[in-house]
């Protein structure tokens, strides 16, 4: 018997870094395909060491423990996972008793965070969809959205509440196999994003899954399964009912991961972008010589490039670009109705942001940054005297300058202005002084070219140049 066990242990212990294998008598994964270690490429060498510690410790304490979700999916593709999610049959309080470095979070969805310095391993307890429990009535809102999701279950139950088949693969620390209840491996090989269960129903339960489908399709270069694709259009409007704070989290993941342009195109294709950014979507319909759409695309291209170059990117800059055209359009409408220009631009900025924040909860410090970037734009027209030297010391100068360059790239402002500022920044003080002499820059002294409009109160100053947006 011992010899057989040793033999089995040797077969299963393929990772040369880890020789210990737990007893091979495993729970039966009824209805699942079990992909043994030799038949898949996920190695413990690629798994975060703290996640491994958690998995082993739970196992040692007599619980089942698995990696699940994005980490298994990404490891199968040879990609580095963003995070490692552990799932177990231990309940949160039991997990807290095992790990002294554990804190429990969430009310509706109780989770354990096991902390190793700044590295946090999220440990969830198996859950079941409430609709599976005959003693409980699922709490759905009028659109079919699931309002409660906190009943513990088994792995067989846990799998059905996950979103896509490729996200429902479990890596078993007991024998390093992958357990697949839903055909996730096949879909993985075929590059398919397929919902578990009825696509329409799953989107109605949680409309954010539509955004996740797009995010994974772009990130992994996978296709949406036909059923998944078909179910988006009739349910896209349901995103409007999602709490704005949750949509803000999703937006950050959608646009700041280096595939912004493709994501934008796909969101538009599936009619999701119009729900997220209604004013921007509307402004895209008024294309004039490609200009409005170019601004959005250029901003996304720039962020994608910065991410590829390992440079920092900020969401507020992107949102400032997305909302620039709707803001200008709104201001022009107000001016046409007779509102003084300074008030028109100020009010347009406020209304555009207020309307957007109702859909996506952009934090206040970001909306303030967006306002600053917008407000600084007309100041780039003043290129004589002391104003340029003051402007470059403004804390938001760099972002505002980048925004100016973006506008210049899309024909929204003359390239010459952006070039002047590029040179100005690089020169020494002496040359800078020469550059800002009145005769050095005829255009800059022409008052007609630099008309700016200022609100009476200082804090409410909004100045917008008219020479580029008439
Ligand atoms: P990544 O972390 O790379 O963005 P992920 O798939 O790990 O992708 P998470 O948000 O970390 O995404 O979620 C972990 C897992 O939890 C998912 O893989 C999926 O199984 C499940 N999950 C997450 N969000 C949902 C949801 N809205 N509906 C159903 N299951 C979900
Ligand atoms: Mg994840």
């Amino acid at each position: 018997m011992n010899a057989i066990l040793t033999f089995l242990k040797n077969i299963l212990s393929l990772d040369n870094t880890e020789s210990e294998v737990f007893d091979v008598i495993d729970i039966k994964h009824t209805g699942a395909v079990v992909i043994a270690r030799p038949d898949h490429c996920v190695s413990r060498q690629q798994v975060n060491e703290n996640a491994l510690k958690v998995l082993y410790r739970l196992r040692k304490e007599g619980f089942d423990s698995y990696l699940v979700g994005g980490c298994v999916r990404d490891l199968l593709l040879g990609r580095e996972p963003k995070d490692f999610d552990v799932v177990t049959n231990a309940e949160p309080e039991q997990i807290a008793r095992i790990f002294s470095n554990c804190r429990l979070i969430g009310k509706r969805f109780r989770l354990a965070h096991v902390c190793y310095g700044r590295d946090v391993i999220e440990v969830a307890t198996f859950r079941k969809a409430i609709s599976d429990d005959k003693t409980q009535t699922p709490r759905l809102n009028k659109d079919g959205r699931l309002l409660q999701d906190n009943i513990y279950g088994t792995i067989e139950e846990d799998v059905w509440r996950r979103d896509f088949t490729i996200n429902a693969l479990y890596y078993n620390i007991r024998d390093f196999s992958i357990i697949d209840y839903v055909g996730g491996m096949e879909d993985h090989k075929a590059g398919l994003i397929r919902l578990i269960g009825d696509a329409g129903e799953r989107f109605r339960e949680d409309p954010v899954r539509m955004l996740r489908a797009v995010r994974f399709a772009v990130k992994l270069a996978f296709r949406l399964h036909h059923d998944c694709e078909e179910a988006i259009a009739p349910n896209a409007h349901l995103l409007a009912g999602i709490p704005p704070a949750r949509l803000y989290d999703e937006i950050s993941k959608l646009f700041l991961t280096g595939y912004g342009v493709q994501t934008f195109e796909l969101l538009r294709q599936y009619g999701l972008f119009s729900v997220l950014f209604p004013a921007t979507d509307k402004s895209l319909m008024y294309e004039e010589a490609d200009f409005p759409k170019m601004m959005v695309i250029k901003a996304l291209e720039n962020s994608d490039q910065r991410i590829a170059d390992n440079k920092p990117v900020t969401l507020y800059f992107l949102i400032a670009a997305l909302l620039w055209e709707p803001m200008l359009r709104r201001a022009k409408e107000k001016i046409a109705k007779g509102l003084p220009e300074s008030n028109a631009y100020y009010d347009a900025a406020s209304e555009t942001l207020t309307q957007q924040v109702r859909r996506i909860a952009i934090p206040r410090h970001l909306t303030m940054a967006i306002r600053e970037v917008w407000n600084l734009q007309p100041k780039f027209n003043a290129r004589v005297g002391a104003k340029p030297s003051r402007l470059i010391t403004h804390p938001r100068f760099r972002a505002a300058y980048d925004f100016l360059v973006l506008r210049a790239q899309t024909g929204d402002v003359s390239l010459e202005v952006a070039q002047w500022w590029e040179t100005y920044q690089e020169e020494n003080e002496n040359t800078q002084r020469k550059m800002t002499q009145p005769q050095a820059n005829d255009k800059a002294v022409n008052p007609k070219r630099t008309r700016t409009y200022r609100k009476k109160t200082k804090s409410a100053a909004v100045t917008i140049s008219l020479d580029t947006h008439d």
Side-chain angles (χ1 to χ4, degrees), residues 8-24 26 29 34-45 47 52 55-56 59 65-67 72 76 170-179 185:
L8 284 171
K9 280 180 183 180
N10 286 341
I11 290 181
L12 291 168
S13 179
L14 283 173
D15 281 347
N16 36 23
T17 52
E18 176 60 63
S19 56
E20 181 192 5
V21 173
F22 298 105
D23 46 322
V24 290
D26 199 355
H29 295 285
V34 177
I35 300 104
R37 177 62 188 90
D39 301 326
H40 67 75
C41 63
V42 176
S43 155
R44 275 161 297 155
Q45 285 177 38
V47 177
L52 279 179
L55 289 165
Y56 282 129
R59 179 71 195 93
S65 60
Y66 303 83
L67 286 176
V72 182
L76 280 169
Y170 296 78
Y171 173 84
N172 192 352
I173 199 62
R174 196 190 286 253
D175 59 6
F176 319 121
S177 64
I178 289 179
I179 299 156
M185 279 306 246

Side-chain angles (χ1 to χ4, degrees), residues 346 375 379 453-463:
Y346 180 80
N375 289 352
K379 297 191 195 287
Y453 296 82
R454 188 176 291 276
K455 225 185 168 200
K456 275 185 195 129
T457 53
K458 219 177 170 192
S459 62
V462 167
T463 53

Side-chain angles (χ1 to χ4, degrees), residues 379-388 414 416-421 424 432-438 440-445 449-450 467:
K379 297 191 195 287
F380 287 104
N381 288 326
R383 287 181 275 152
V384 280
K387 285 182 178 170
S414 95
E416 186 255 327
V417 176
Q419 274 156 3
W420 188 92
W421 279 97
Y424 182 78
Q432 283 184 340
R433 214 169 300 123
K434 280 187 200 142
M435 284 177 77
T436 53
Q437 304 284 305
N441 196 330
D442 288 346
K443 280 177 196 146
V445 283
R449 303 279 304 183
T450 56
D467 66 349

Side-chain angles (χ1 to χ4, degrees), residues 177-192:
S177 64
I178 289 179
I179 299 156
D180 178 8
Y181 287 89
V182 288
M185 279 306 246
E186 286 301 311
D187 287 342
H188 205 280
K189 279 182 209 143
L192 265 186

Side-chain angles (χ1 to χ4, degrees), residues 13 24 26 28 73 78 87 143 176 237 252 255 283 306 325 333 366 406 441:
S13 179
V24 290
D26 199 355
K28 290 210 168 36
R73 178 197 70 214
V87 71
D143 296 323
F176 319 121
H237 67 283
S252 324
F255 288 118
S283 79
R306 287 180 70 87
E325 182 60 22
E333 278 167 18
L366 295 194
L406 193 65
N441 196 330

Side-chain angles (χ1 to χ4, degrees), residues 150-413:
N150 211 13
I151 297 184
Y152 302 128
T154 61
I155 186 170
E156 282 87 357
E157 290 162 333
D158 186 87
V159 70
W160 299 107
R161 50 164 279 277
R162 298 197 172 266
D163 48 6
F164 305 106
T165 58
I166 54 163
N167 283 348
L169 296 166
Y170 296 78
Y171 173 84
N172 192 352
I173 199 62
R174 196 190 286 253
D175 59 6
F176 319 121
S177 64
I178 289 179
I179 299 156
D180 178 8
Y181 287 89
V182 288
M185 279 306 246
E186 286 301 311
D187 287 342
H188 205 280
K189 279 182 209 143
L192 265 186
I193 313 273
R194 187 203 304 257
L195 279 148
I196 300 171
D198 179 79
E201 209 173 291
R202 299 310 308 279
F203 281 153
R204 283 189 290 281
E205 266 177 21
D206 182 4
V208 169
R209 289 173 186 151
M210 292 183 275
L211 299 180
R212 289 173 59 84
V214 167
R215 179 155 68 87
F216 296 133
V218 172
K219 173 176 158 175
L220 310 170
F222 277 22
R223 276 176 307 117
L224 300 194
H225 183 273
H226 179 257
D227 293 349
C228 176
E229 203 165 32
E230 290 283 287
I232 294 184
N235 293 302
H237 67 283
L238 296 176
L239 273 181
I242 295 297
R246 184 159 179 228
L247 284 186
Y248 175 74
D249 289 344
E250 285 302 318
I251 289 305
S252 324
K253 290 188 213 161
L254 277 166
F255 288 118
L256 293 185
T257 39
Y259 311 94
V261 175
Q262 276 169 279
T263 304
F264 165 73
E265 301 284 8
L266 219 55
L267 287 174
R268 280 206 91 202
Q269 183 186 324
Y270 290 125
L272 295 166
F273 187 78
S274 58
V275 193
L276 298 174
F277 291 95
T280 310
D281 193 71
K282 210 165 148 207
S283 79
L284 293 172
M285 293 193 306
Y286 308 114
E287 273 184 45
E288 294 154 16
D290 271 1
F291 161 60
K293 196 170 177 203
M294 282 312 289
M295 179 78 170
V296 172
I297 293 279
K298 273 271 174 256
L300 290 164
E301 271 175 6
N302 282 2
S303 323
D304 290 352
Q305 190 54 49
R306 287 180 70 87
I307 293 166
D309 297 341
N310 267 328
K311 289 184 187 161
V313 284
T314 55
L315 195 54
Y316 81 80
F317 185 86
L318 211 54
I319 301 176
L322 289 177
L323 297 179
W324 175 246
E325 182 60 22
M327 189 280 285
L328 289 180
R329 207 160 263 285
R330 204 182 264 266
K332 282 178 199 164
E333 278 167 18
K334 289 180 186 298
I335 292 163
K337 284 184 192 152
L339 205 71
E341 278 152 348
S342 57
N343 295 16
Y345 284 107
Y346 180 80
D347 292 352
S350 299
E351 288 169 21
T352 308
L353 287 168
T354 307
Q355 193 189 49
Q356 184 59 58
V357 162
R358 270 188 225 124
R359 187 60 45 94
I360 296 174
I362 307 160
R364 197 171 149 67
H365 66 279
L366 295 194
T367 57
M368 284 171 60
I370 293 169
R371 268 179 177 283
E372 272 184 309
V373 165
W374 287 350
N375 289 352
L376 289 176
Q377 293 311 302
K379 297 191 195 287
F380 287 104
N381 288 326
R383 287 181 275 152
V384 280
K387 285 182 178 170
S389 62
R390 276 206 299 274
L391 185 54
I392 54 168
T393 60
H394 191 286
R396 202 65 74 186
F397 172 79
R398 190 68 221 179
Y401 166 73
D402 287 345
F403 200 80
L404 177 81
V405 172
L406 193 65
R407 291 173 59 216
Q409 284 172 349
T410 56
D412 184 33
V413 67

